[in-house]
Amino acid sequence: MPGAPTYRLNPTDEMLFQAGERLGSSRIVQVLWRFPAEVSGSALRAEWDRLDLGLLSRKAVPARVPGARRRWVHAHNAEEPVTHPRPLADADVMDWIDAQARVPLPAGSDALWRLAAAPYRGGGLVSLTVPHFRSDGLGIFNALAAPPPGPAPRSSPAARLGGGDVGDVLGLALRAAVESTRWSAGLLADGSARARVMSALRGGSPAPPCPAGGAEPRYFATTILAMDAGEWQERAHAHGGTVNSLFVEIAANLVRARVPLRGRSSIDIGIPMSLRGPDGDGRANALVVVPLSVPAGEPGHGDLTRTRRDTRTLLQGSGERSATLVPEPLWHLLPGRYADRLKAPGAQQTDAVASNFGRVPEGVARFAGQRADGVALRTVNVPGIVPGKARLRASLCLLDTGGQMIMTATGMPDRFGDATSLHRLVTDECARWGLRAEPWLGGAPTGGRAPREKEDRR
C-alpha cells in the first residue's frame, strides 16, 4: 500500500466493520489453492512479505476533522505465516480449512489477514483468509496479482494537519446538496420508496423480518465441487440461461428444498454487483449486494429465461446508490443513529447469496512459485450466523478456472445437515441440471473435528 492514494471507507466497509457487534458474526473471505508440489516455508514467507506491502495490510483510522470519512492507512500484519507440520489426510482437510477461517482477526487488532500452508496428497494446500471489511473477493484478487508497490511518498504538511479531511467534508457536502435535490424529487413521485425510507427512520427494517432461531451462532458446513466448465455453459444455454442464471437457480433450489418459508411466495437471493473500476481501484469493498426476488415453492429445473431476464433487469437498475437508502454523500454526513437505519440490507438479510467471481486471473492462479491445479473461494461467517439476527442460510461462490467451474457451497447445519449431507444435496441438485459434480478435494467431505497437530509458525 505504500505509494497508494488515500482511500476512504464507504457504507459497505462500515457495515461489515459493525457486523460483529450488531449481528454477532463477521464475514470472512477465504481463498484456497491446491498445488502439485508442496509449498515451502520460504516460498510462503516470500508471498507473505509481498502481500504485507499491499492493500490487504491496512487499518481504518478516524478522520481528524468531524464529518470526514474514516480512511485506510498502511499497517503491518501481526499474523505470521503458518506451516502445518504433517501432511493432511482426506478426513482432516476440511477441518484444517475451517480452522484457518476461525482464527480471530478482530477489526481493531493488528492481525490483519492469515496465510497458511499444509502438505496434501503429495502436493500443497494454501489458505488465505481476509476479513470482508478489509477487502472483497475481487479486491483480494487484485492484491494477489499486483506487482510490488513503489516507495511511499512523503506526506505534505496539509495532509498531516488534516487538509485531506477538510477536502473530504467539503466534497461530501457539495455532492450531498446536488444528489439530494434530484433524489428528493424522485422520492416525492415514488410512494413505495418514500414509505421504505420513513419506515427505516422510525426504526423499522427495510428487509423482511428475520425468522426466529435463537441467539447462538451456527457455523456453516461446507462442500467444494468441481464441474466441467464447458458442460456448465452448455447446460445453461440449453435451458435458455447463462452461466450466472444457472448458478442463481442452484442457490435458490437449495433454499426451496431445505429452508422453511412459512407461506412466503418468494425468496431473496443476494447478487453481489461489482462496482470496481479498472486496475488500480483500491477500495476495500467496491460492491453492493442486491436482492433478486425469485418464486418460492418446490425446486425447479426447467426454463432459466425468467431468472436471466430478472437478473439483468435488477443489475441494470442498481449501482453506487444501492448501498444506502439515501444518497451516499448525505449518508456519510448523517448522525450515526440515522445512518445506521438508512443502510440498505446486505448479504446477511437475504436467504442465500450467489457470488459469481468469474474467471480466475493468471496472477492469482500463480502463487508461491507454482501454478495452482485449482483455486476455490468461499465466504463464511465467524463464529457463525445468529439465526435470530440474520436471514442468511446458504452462501455459494463460483470460480471459472478455465477448464473447470469450482463451486463452494456453505449452509447452516440446522437446515442442510453436516458437510456430508450438504455435499450429497448439492451434488444431487447439480445432477438434476445434467452436471457431474466431483469433490474438489480428495475423498468425501467430513468436518467437525479440530486439527490435532500443533502448527509451526515461522
Side-chain angles (χ1 to χ4, degrees), residues 141-166:
F141 280 2
N142 286 347
L144 288 166
R154 296 181 63 182
S155 61
S156 67
R160 289 195 294 271
L161 293 173
D165 292 343
V166 172

PDB file of all heavy atoms in Angstrom, residues 141-166:
ATOM      1  N   PHE A 141      -8.201 -10.575  -5.099  1.00  0.00           N
ATOM      2  CA  PHE A 141      -7.578 -10.995  -6.357  1.00  0.00           C
ATOM      3  C   PHE A 141      -6.640  -9.907  -6.885  1.00  0.00           C
ATOM      4  O   PHE A 141      -5.529 -10.195  -7.358  1.00  0.00           O
ATOM      5  CB  PHE A 141      -8.651 -11.304  -7.400  1.00  0.00           C
ATOM      6  CG  PHE A 141      -9.290 -12.659  -7.239  1.00  0.00           C
ATOM      7  CD1 PHE A 141      -8.940 -13.503  -6.199  1.00  0.00           C
ATOM      8  CD2 PHE A 141     -10.246 -13.087  -8.145  1.00  0.00           C
ATOM      9  CE1 PHE A 141      -9.525 -14.758  -6.060  1.00  0.00           C
ATOM     10  CE2 PHE A 141     -10.835 -14.348  -8.016  1.00  0.00           C
ATOM     11  CZ  PHE A 141     -10.477 -15.174  -6.971  1.00  0.00           C
ATOM     12  N   ASN A 142      -7.076  -8.658  -6.824  1.00  0.00           N
ATOM     13  CA  ASN A 142      -6.224  -7.555  -7.287  1.00  0.00           C
ATOM     14  C   ASN A 142      -4.946  -7.465  -6.460  1.00  0.00           C
ATOM     15  O   ASN A 142      -3.853  -7.233  -6.997  1.00  0.00           O
ATOM     16  CB  ASN A 142      -6.984  -6.230  -7.211  1.00  0.00           C
ATOM     17  CG  ASN A 142      -8.025  -6.086  -8.308  1.00  0.00           C
ATOM     18  OD1 ASN A 142      -8.041  -6.851  -9.265  1.00  0.00           O
ATOM     19  ND2 ASN A 142      -8.902  -5.118  -8.167  1.00  0.00           N
ATOM     20  N   ALA A 143      -5.069  -7.643  -5.146  1.00  0.00           N
ATOM     21  CA  ALA A 143      -3.895  -7.583  -4.277  1.00  0.00           C
ATOM     22  C   ALA A 143      -2.939  -8.729  -4.579  1.00  0.00           C
ATOM     23  O   ALA A 143      -1.711  -8.558  -4.554  1.00  0.00           O
ATOM     24  CB  ALA A 143      -4.328  -7.622  -2.816  1.00  0.00           C
ATOM     25  N   LEU A 144      -3.486  -9.911  -4.870  1.00  0.00           N
ATOM     26  CA  LEU A 144      -2.646 -11.065  -5.170  1.00  0.00           C
ATOM     27  C   LEU A 144      -1.899 -10.896  -6.493  1.00  0.00           C
ATOM     28  O   LEU A 144      -0.747 -11.320  -6.628  1.00  0.00           O
ATOM     29  CB  LEU A 144      -3.502 -12.331  -5.226  1.00  0.00           C
ATOM     30  CG  LEU A 144      -4.028 -12.854  -3.891  1.00  0.00           C
ATOM     31  CD1 LEU A 144      -5.129 -13.877  -4.109  1.00  0.00           C
ATOM     32  CD2 LEU A 144      -2.892 -13.463  -3.073  1.00  0.00           C
ATOM     33  N   ALA A 145      -2.549 -10.289  -7.459  1.00  0.00           N
ATOM     34  CA  ALA A 145      -1.965 -10.165  -8.796  1.00  0.00           C
ATOM     35  C   ALA A 145      -1.139  -8.903  -8.975  1.00  0.00           C
ATOM     36  O   ALA A 145      -0.471  -8.749 -10.006  1.00  0.00           O
ATOM     37  CB  ALA A 145      -3.078 -10.200  -9.849  1.00  0.00           C
ATOM     38  N   ALA A 146      -1.155  -8.006  -7.986  1.00  0.00           N
ATOM     39  CA  ALA A 146      -0.492  -6.708  -8.143  1.00  0.00           C
ATOM     40  C   ALA A 146       1.021  -6.849  -8.086  1.00  0.00           C
ATOM     41  O   ALA A 146       1.555  -7.677  -7.335  1.00  0.00           O
ATOM     42  CB  ALA A 146      -0.969  -5.750  -7.054  1.00  0.00           C
ATOM     43  N   PRO A 147       1.744  -6.032  -8.844  1.00  0.00           N
ATOM     44  CA  PRO A 147       3.208  -6.011  -8.726  1.00  0.00           C
ATOM     45  C   PRO A 147       3.607  -5.380  -7.400  1.00  0.00           C
ATOM     46  O   PRO A 147       2.793  -4.727  -6.743  1.00  0.00           O
ATOM     47  CB  PRO A 147       3.635  -5.144  -9.908  1.00  0.00           C
ATOM     48  CG  PRO A 147       2.454  -4.249 -10.166  1.00  0.00           C
ATOM     49  CD  PRO A 147       1.241  -5.088  -9.853  1.00  0.00           C
ATOM     50  N   PRO A 148       4.852  -5.562  -6.983  1.00  0.00           N
ATOM     51  CA  PRO A 148       5.296  -4.937  -5.732  1.00  0.00           C
ATOM     52  C   PRO A 148       5.096  -3.426  -5.775  1.00  0.00           C
ATOM     53  O   PRO A 148       5.371  -2.779  -6.793  1.00  0.00           O
ATOM     54  CB  PRO A 148       6.786  -5.295  -5.662  1.00  0.00           C
ATOM     55  CG  PRO A 148       6.915  -6.518  -6.511  1.00  0.00           C
ATOM     56  CD  PRO A 148       5.904  -6.365  -7.606  1.00  0.00           C
ATOM     57  N   PRO A 149       4.556  -2.836  -4.688  1.00  0.00           N
ATOM     58  CA  PRO A 149       4.287  -1.391  -4.693  1.00  0.00           C
ATOM     59  C   PRO A 149       5.566  -0.584  -4.665  1.00  0.00           C
ATOM     60  O   PRO A 149       6.629  -1.050  -4.253  1.00  0.00           O
ATOM     61  CB  PRO A 149       3.476  -1.187  -3.402  1.00  0.00           C
ATOM     62  CG  PRO A 149       3.892  -2.323  -2.517  1.00  0.00           C
ATOM     63  CD  PRO A 149       4.173  -3.480  -3.433  1.00  0.00           C
ATOM     64  N   GLY A 150       5.455   0.664  -5.108  1.00  0.00           N
ATOM     65  CA  GLY A 150       6.595   1.568  -5.090  1.00  0.00           C
ATOM     66  C   GLY A 150       6.814   2.157  -3.712  1.00  0.00           C
ATOM     67  O   GLY A 150       6.096   1.863  -2.764  1.00  0.00           O
ATOM     68  N   PRO A 151       7.837   2.993  -3.579  1.00  0.00           N
ATOM     69  CA  PRO A 151       8.122   3.602  -2.275  1.00  0.00           C
ATOM     70  C   PRO A 151       7.022   4.556  -1.856  1.00  0.00           C
ATOM     71  O   PRO A 151       6.325   5.141  -2.688  1.00  0.00           O
ATOM     72  CB  PRO A 151       9.441   4.344  -2.522  1.00  0.00           C
ATOM     73  CG  PRO A 151       9.450   4.615  -3.988  1.00  0.00           C
ATOM     74  CD  PRO A 151       8.766   3.434  -4.623  1.00  0.00           C
ATOM     75  N   ALA A 152       6.851   4.711  -0.560  1.00  0.00           N
ATOM     76  CA  ALA A 152       5.818   5.593  -0.023  1.00  0.00           C
ATOM     77  C   ALA A 152       6.213   7.050  -0.237  1.00  0.00           C
ATOM     78  O   ALA A 152       7.354   7.437   0.007  1.00  0.00           O
ATOM     79  CB  ALA A 152       5.636   5.320   1.466  1.00  0.00           C
ATOM     80  N   PRO A 153       5.267   7.880  -0.713  1.00  0.00           N
ATOM     81  CA  PRO A 153       5.577   9.293  -0.877  1.00  0.00           C
ATOM     82  C   PRO A 153       5.614  10.000   0.471  1.00  0.00           C
ATOM     83  O   PRO A 153       4.980   9.563   1.427  1.00  0.00           O
ATOM     84  CB  PRO A 153       4.414   9.802  -1.739  1.00  0.00           C
ATOM     85  CG  PRO A 153       3.267   8.905  -1.365  1.00  0.00           C
ATOM     86  CD  PRO A 153       3.894   7.555  -1.086  1.00  0.00           C
ATOM     87  N   ARG A 154       6.340  11.104   0.527  1.00  0.00           N
ATOM     88  CA  ARG A 154       6.342  11.898   1.741  1.00  0.00           C
ATOM     89  C   ARG A 154       5.033  12.667   1.836  1.00  0.00           C
ATOM     90  O   ARG A 154       4.562  13.255   0.866  1.00  0.00           O
ATOM     91  CB  ARG A 154       7.513  12.877   1.729  1.00  0.00           C
ATOM     92  CG  ARG A 154       8.872  12.198   1.736  1.00  0.00           C
ATOM     93  CD  ARG A 154       9.979  13.220   1.746  1.00  0.00           C
ATOM     94  NE  ARG A 154       9.929  14.030   2.965  1.00  0.00           N
ATOM     95  CZ  ARG A 154      10.768  15.043   3.211  1.00  0.00           C
ATOM     96  NH1 ARG A 154      11.706  15.349   2.326  1.00  0.00           N
ATOM     97  NH2 ARG A 154      10.666  15.734   4.327  1.00  0.00           N
ATOM     98  N   SER A 155       4.409  12.651   3.002  1.00  0.00           N
ATOM     99  CA  SER A 155       3.136  13.361   3.163  1.00  0.00           C
ATOM    100  C   SER A 155       3.383  14.849   3.265  1.00  0.00           C
ATOM    101  O   SER A 155       4.380  15.304   3.824  1.00  0.00           O
ATOM    102  CB  SER A 155       2.414  12.856   4.418  1.00  0.00           C
ATOM    103  OG  SER A 155       3.195  13.094   5.563  1.00  0.00           O
ATOM    104  N   SER A 156       2.460  15.637   2.741  1.00  0.00           N
ATOM    105  CA  SER A 156       2.570  17.088   2.778  1.00  0.00           C
ATOM    106  C   SER A 156       2.136  17.617   4.138  1.00  0.00           C
ATOM    107  O   SER A 156       1.408  16.949   4.871  1.00  0.00           O
ATOM    108  CB  SER A 156       1.680  17.697   1.693  1.00  0.00           C
ATOM    109  OG  SER A 156       0.316  17.463   2.013  1.00  0.00           O
ATOM    110  N   PRO A 157       2.561  18.844   4.492  1.00  0.00           N
ATOM    111  CA  PRO A 157       2.096  19.421   5.759  1.00  0.00           C
ATOM    112  C   PRO A 157       0.577  19.502   5.844  1.00  0.00           C
ATOM    113  O   PRO A 157      -0.006  19.273   6.897  1.00  0.00           O
ATOM    114  CB  PRO A 157       2.742  20.813   5.755  1.00  0.00           C
ATOM    115  CG  PRO A 157       3.945  20.682   4.878  1.00  0.00           C
ATOM    116  CD  PRO A 157       3.552  19.688   3.822  1.00  0.00           C
ATOM    117  N   ALA A 158      -0.085  19.823   4.712  1.00  0.00           N
ATOM    118  CA  ALA A 158      -1.544  19.921   4.740  1.00  0.00           C
ATOM    119  C   ALA A 158      -2.183  18.586   5.076  1.00  0.00           C
ATOM    120  O   ALA A 158      -3.145  18.505   5.834  1.00  0.00           O
ATOM    121  CB  ALA A 158      -2.064  20.417   3.377  1.00  0.00           C
ATOM    122  N   ALA A 159      -1.616  17.511   4.530  1.00  0.00           N
ATOM    123  CA  ALA A 159      -2.174  16.187   4.816  1.00  0.00           C
ATOM    124  C   ALA A 159      -1.969  15.825   6.279  1.00  0.00           C
ATOM    125  O   ALA A 159      -2.859  15.263   6.925  1.00  0.00           O
ATOM    126  CB  ALA A 159      -1.527  15.149   3.911  1.00  0.00           C
ATOM    127  N   ARG A 160      -0.780  16.180   6.819  1.00  0.00           N
ATOM    128  CA  ARG A 160      -0.522  15.858   8.222  1.00  0.00           C
ATOM    129  C   ARG A 160      -1.444  16.632   9.151  1.00  0.00           C
ATOM    130  O   ARG A 160      -1.779  16.187  10.242  1.00  0.00           O
ATOM    131  CB  ARG A 160       0.943  16.157   8.554  1.00  0.00           C
ATOM    132  CG  ARG A 160       1.922  15.180   7.921  1.00  0.00           C
ATOM    133  CD  ARG A 160       3.289  15.281   8.561  1.00  0.00           C
ATOM    134  NE  ARG A 160       3.928  16.567   8.308  1.00  0.00           N
ATOM    135  CZ  ARG A 160       4.708  16.819   7.247  1.00  0.00           C
ATOM    136  NH1 ARG A 160       4.937  15.862   6.350  1.00  0.00           N
ATOM    137  NH2 ARG A 160       5.263  18.002   7.079  1.00  0.00           N
ATOM    138  N   LEU A 161      -1.892  17.817   8.730  1.00  0.00           N
ATOM    139  CA  LEU A 161      -2.781  18.627   9.561  1.00  0.00           C
ATOM    140  C   LEU A 161      -4.256  18.353   9.286  1.00  0.00           C
ATOM    141  O   LEU A 161      -5.129  19.034   9.803  1.00  0.00           O
ATOM    142  CB  LEU A 161      -2.488  20.113   9.318  1.00  0.00           C
ATOM    143  CG  LEU A 161      -1.117  20.602   9.808  1.00  0.00           C
ATOM    144  CD1 LEU A 161      -0.882  22.038   9.368  1.00  0.00           C
ATOM    145  CD2 LEU A 161      -1.037  20.496  11.332  1.00  0.00           C
ATOM    146  N   GLY A 162      -4.528  17.383   8.446  1.00  0.00           N
ATOM    147  CA  GLY A 162      -5.918  17.032   8.183  1.00  0.00           C
ATOM    148  C   GLY A 162      -6.522  17.748   7.001  1.00  0.00           C
ATOM    149  O   GLY A 162      -7.741  17.790   6.857  1.00  0.00           O
ATOM    150  N   GLY A 163      -5.668  18.333   6.135  1.00  0.00           N
ATOM    151  CA  GLY A 163      -6.204  19.023   4.974  1.00  0.00           C
ATOM    152  C   GLY A 163      -7.016  18.111   4.084  1.00  0.00           C
ATOM    153  O   GLY A 163      -8.011  18.514   3.500  1.00  0.00           O
ATOM    154  N   GLY A 164      -6.602  16.845   3.987  1.00  0.00           N
ATOM    155  CA  GLY A 164      -7.378  15.913   3.193  1.00  0.00           C
ATOM    156  C   GLY A 164      -8.753  15.685   3.765  1.00  0.00           C
ATOM    157  O   GLY A 164      -9.732  15.496   3.032  1.00  0.00           O
ATOM    158  N   ASP A 165      -8.883  15.717   5.087  1.00  0.00           N
ATOM    159  CA  ASP A 165     -10.190  15.559   5.727  1.00  0.00           C
ATOM    160  C   ASP A 165     -11.090  16.756   5.454  1.00  0.00           C
ATOM    161  O   ASP A 165     -12.296  16.601   5.259  1.00  0.00           O
ATOM    162  CB  ASP A 165     -10.010  15.379   7.238  1.00  0.00           C
ATOM    163  CG  ASP A 165      -9.350  14.056   7.595  1.00  0.00           C
ATOM    164  OD1 ASP A 165      -9.326  13.159   6.730  1.00  0.00           O
ATOM    165  OD2 ASP A 165      -8.860  13.918   8.724  1.00  0.00           O
ATOM    166  N   VAL A 166     -10.527  17.949   5.467  1.00  0.00           N
ATOM    167  CA  VAL A 166     -11.312  19.139   5.150  1.00  0.00           C
ATOM    168  C   VAL A 166     -11.879  19.029   3.737  1.00  0.00           C
ATOM    169  O   VAL A 166     -13.067  19.289   3.492  1.00  0.00           O
ATOM    170  CB  VAL A 166     -10.454  20.413   5.300  1.00  0.00           C
ATOM    171  CG1 VAL A 166     -11.217  21.630   4.782  1.00  0.00           C
ATOM    172  CG2 VAL A 166     -10.047  20.619   6.749  1.00  0.00           C
TER     173      VAL A 166
END
